[in-house]
Amino acid sequence: MRAAVSIRFSPSRLCLLGNGAGLVGPASRRSFASTGASWVNWGFIGLGRMGEHHPFDIHRPARGRVSYPMAKNLRAKIPEGDTLFIHDRNTEATSNFVKEVVTGVEVLGTPREVAQKSETIITVLPGPSHVKNVFHNILEPALAPISPERLFIDCSTIDPTSSREVANAVHCTTQGRFVDAPMSGGVVGARAGTLTFMLGASSRSGHLVDRVRPVLLLMGSKALHLGGQGAGLSGKLANNYLLAISNIAVAETMNLGLKWGLDAKTLGQLVNGSSGRCWASEVNNPVAGVSLGAPAESGYEGGFGIGLMRKDLKMAVQGAGEVGARLELAERATEVYDEVDAQESGKDFSVVYKWLGGKV
């Protein structure tokens, strides 16, 4: 895989390779069927490693903790005879994955090798530059065509514009179909297979959505089609903007209540049984002892990294500016997460409570 650098992804340049016509000549379409059985090959790029830093991004552990169990659930639910090809720059992660899963998995050296051998390829990467670099590696030179055409499902959380650029590069060179499908549900949802996927895909024929949804349900419990290319990411960023704001509000509320002398667990029960209830209060409460298994109970380790929240918040604010949507709380929320990250880098974003001076 190429080193992650800031580049301008150029779909038009890729299209000039031939707009899909004559890219690979009239070679017959390849089938991955084994003799006597129709086994399917799957690809997973961006495995990560639970609890370890990744060369791409110091905040990648949170992504790795989600993508690792996603890949395990995928392997567990596809037919035994199918093969899952995996790739990640973190070779320790791929080695451990093979040891844990044992059968039906093969590690490949590059994203392109994974795409060459697979019909359905899932990518989970830290940011826009990583997604662009990986697909540049995959698409140039053009892949040999297969039947059915390759399906690329990108579960990364990036900006919708970058996703559309990558989709255009895939589609205009006729190297497959590309959809955005970011997920929500965190580490707990990834392990339990209860993630919610937000799908952005053309519904002009309906066939693409029908093909993608069953794949997503191998790793989650819901797959919501939000609209055309990029719509899944727009939904994810809107949701995470709300999450960013509600997380701060819950931290302030718990800090206020405890300073008034209220019991943390009882206050949590009150909020979660009343109109203030939200995910940040019920599932990911920032005070230890309120939400079983929340990062607050382990020194804010694990969970959704503060750096990832900063990234998502900034993308949401940027997108809001592009369409003229007013976000009155965005500026101060951005300042809060910047300041918290400077002090508590790598911790779960609920560490805002500690930054406020809350009792831990």
Side-chain angles (χ1 to χ4, degrees), residues 124-137:
V124 190
L125 300 162
S129 64
H130 310 100
V131 175
K132 292 176 181 180
N133 282 341
V134 163
F135 276 89
H136 188 276
N137 174 273

Side-chain angles (χ1 to χ4, degrees), residues 62 65 240 243 295 302-306 308-309 312 347-350:
R65 280 188 291 268
N240 277 22
L243 178 60
F304 188 57
I306 190 78
L308 291 176
M309 176 49 78
D312 289 2
K347 301 290 188 178
D348 179 74
F349 76 126
S350 62

Side-chain angles (χ1 to χ4, degrees), residues 162-193:
S162 293
S163 182
R164 292 187 188 101
E165 288 180 3
V166 177
N168 184 49
V170 173
H171 297 157
C172 75
T173 57
T174 64
Q175 297 191 61
R177 300 301 300 272
F178 178 99
V179 302
D180 58 288
M183 81 295 283
S184 180
V187 179
V188 174
R191 290 174 177 165

Side-chain angles (χ1 to χ4, degrees), residues 155-325:
C155 296
S156 313
T157 299
I158 62 175
D159 61 285
T161 298
S162 293
S163 182
R164 292 187 188 101
E165 288 180 3
V166 177
N168 184 49
V170 173
H171 297 157
C172 75
T173 57
T174 64
Q175 297 191 61
R177 300 301 300 272
F178 178 99
V179 302
D180 58 288
M183 81 295 283
S184 180
V187 179
V188 174
R191 290 174 177 165
T194 58
L195 293 171
T196 294
F197 289 91
M198 291 144 274
L199 173 60
S202 171
S203 58
R204 282 177 290 184
S205 67
H207 299 310
L208 182 58
V209 174
D210 290 342
R211 182 180 175 189
V212 174
R213 182 174 279 120
V215 177
L216 298 177
L217 292 179
L218 295 172
M219 302 174 288
S221 59
K222 294 181 182 179
L224 305 175
H225 181 222
L226 297 183
Q229 187 67 52
L233 286 162
S234 294
K236 173 65 183 288
L237 293 178
N239 178 77
N240 277 22
Y241 175 76
L242 175 59
L243 178 60
I245 302 301
S246 63
N247 178 64
I248 295 173
V250 169
E252 291 179 331
T253 297
M254 296 302 296
N255 184 43
L256 176 63
L258 266 64
K259 288 189 181 301
W260 276 341
L262 300 179
D263 174 72
K265 192 168 185 178
T266 304
L267 177 59
Q269 291 173 338
L270 166 64
V271 170
N272 294 325
S274 306
S275 56
R277 177 184 177 186
C278 62
W279 186 88
S281 69
E282 185 175 31
V283 178
N284 207 59
N285 196 285
V287 180
V290 178
S291 300
L292 182 64
E297 299 192 332
S298 56
Y300 301 99
E301 297 292 339
F304 188 57
I306 190 78
L308 291 176
M309 176 49 78
R310 287 180 64 217
K311 174 182 75 87
D312 289 2
L313 177 58
K314 290 180 179 181
M315 285 194 293
V317 173
Q318 177 183 347
E322 292 171 356
V323 297

